[in-house]
Amino acid sequence: MSRILIIEDEKPIADIIQFNLENEGYKVITAFNGEEGVNKFREEDPDLIVLDLMLPDKDGLTACKEIRKESVVPILVLTAKDSEVDRVIGLEMGADDYVTKPFSNRELLARVKAILRRVDYGNKTEDKREKNVVKIGDIRIDFKKAVVEKNGEAIELTNREFKLLSYFVNNRGEILTRDRLLDHVWGYEYLGDDRTVDVTIRRLREKVEDDPGSPSYIITKRGMGYYFRRTENNA
């Protein structure tokens, strides 16, 4: 059962969202301001967060930024502002998707299901999930804390780079096309150039490879895509 944290200061809206999510079988936790939301995120370890941008005490963008420093948990932003700038800022802060108020319950549920499916949480139980920490060669990845180390030294990755590395590692040995990477890492609504995958992979290689020009981990399969090479200690 996936656990969803709702951070929404308007209780009637929070109640409606909670009712509909619980009807779908999700476990729901609620918070009514940004400070309480960040604290409940730390206490409850949710699988997804539904986060309103307009919150008292601590606004949604600040809460999103704080959460993203500690975790890559998916975040679905609720915004009352039907403007491209507002949506873009939320996504740049680390949100995975957004819904503009007023929204239909059907749309919200569809987006929740799509995000959970995309990050492969929806049908997994706790004991079947990927291990929190994985060691591959000289790279150590802590998925829960969103920390990557190489030879014991922390590597500074952007949110997108971390998601990309995580997806590679969780599908190591499998050839991943640009379209598949865009769908699972950037999201199904991404409309940009697919060459952005190549650019992000190049940046990631510069941080995790000893020799980015001759990579040991992230390998190009010409005409097909990329794959993360299996290693003896982590087949």
Side-chain angles (χ1 to χ4, degrees), residues 70-134:
E70 302 179 26
S71 172
V72 291
V73 58
I75 299 174
L76 174 63
V77 162
L78 304 180
T79 172
K81 301 176 182 177
D82 189 13
S83 72
E84 183 177 358
V85 172
D86 191 58
R87 296 194 297 267
V88 168
I89 290 175
L91 295 173
E92 286 182 347
M93 285 291 187
D96 294 80
D97 202 353
Y98 64 88
V99 174
T100 302
K101 294 179 178 180
F103 52 83
S104 70
N105 293 322
R106 180 177 296 180
E107 178 187 10
L108 182 67
L109 287 172
R111 290 182 184 272
V112 165
K113 291 177 180 178
I115 292 173
L116 289 171
R117 186 168 57 246
R118 191 161 70 233
V119 296
D120 201 24
Y121 278 150
N123 297 314
K124 290 185 177 180
T125 58
E126 186 70 28
D127 61 328
K128 291 182 180 178
R129 290 189 185 177
E130 197 72 33
K131 290 188 297 184
N132 282 336
V133 178
V134 170

Side-chain angles (χ1 to χ4, degrees), residues 4 18 24 45 72 82 94 107 132 141 143 153 160 164 176 178 185 197 200 222 224:
I4 300 177
Q18 180 175 4
E24 293 292 322
D45 189 25
V72 291
D82 189 13
E107 178 187 10
N132 282 336
I141 306 169
F143 292 103
E153 297 291 327
R160 189 75 67 193
L164 181 61
L176 305 174
R178 289 190 186 90
V185 178
V197 173
T200 307
R222 290 192 178 278
M224 300 179 70

Side-chain angles (χ1 to χ4, degrees), residues 68-69 72 134-142 145-163 165 169 200-210 212 217-218 228:
R68 194 49 81 222
K69 286 179 180 178
V72 291
V134 170
K135 181 82 163 59
I136 302 176
D138 58 6
I139 296 175
R140 179 181 181 275
I141 306 169
D142 187 323
K145 297 180 180 178
V147 172
V148 178
E149 297 176 348
K150 182 176 174 66
N151 292 319
E153 297 291 327
I155 301 173
E156 291 295 326
L157 298 183
T158 66
N159 181 50
R160 189 75 67 193
E161 290 165 354
F162 183 82
K163 285 185 177 181
L165 178 62
V169 169
T200 307
I201 288 176
R202 185 176 69 246
R203 292 201 308 262
L204 184 57
R205 279 174 170 163
E206 290 172 354
K207 296 179 179 182
V208 303
E209 301 280 4
D210 290 332
Y217 295 111
I218 304 171
F228 197 94

Side-chain angles (χ1 to χ4, degrees), residues 9 13 35 37 43 68 114 118 149 163 179 181 214 229:
D9 65 310
I13 294 178
E35 190 68 34
E43 295 168 1
R68 194 49 81 222
R118 191 161 70 233
E149 297 176 348
K163 285 185 177 181
D179 285 344
L181 290 170
S214 181
R229 178 177 286 160

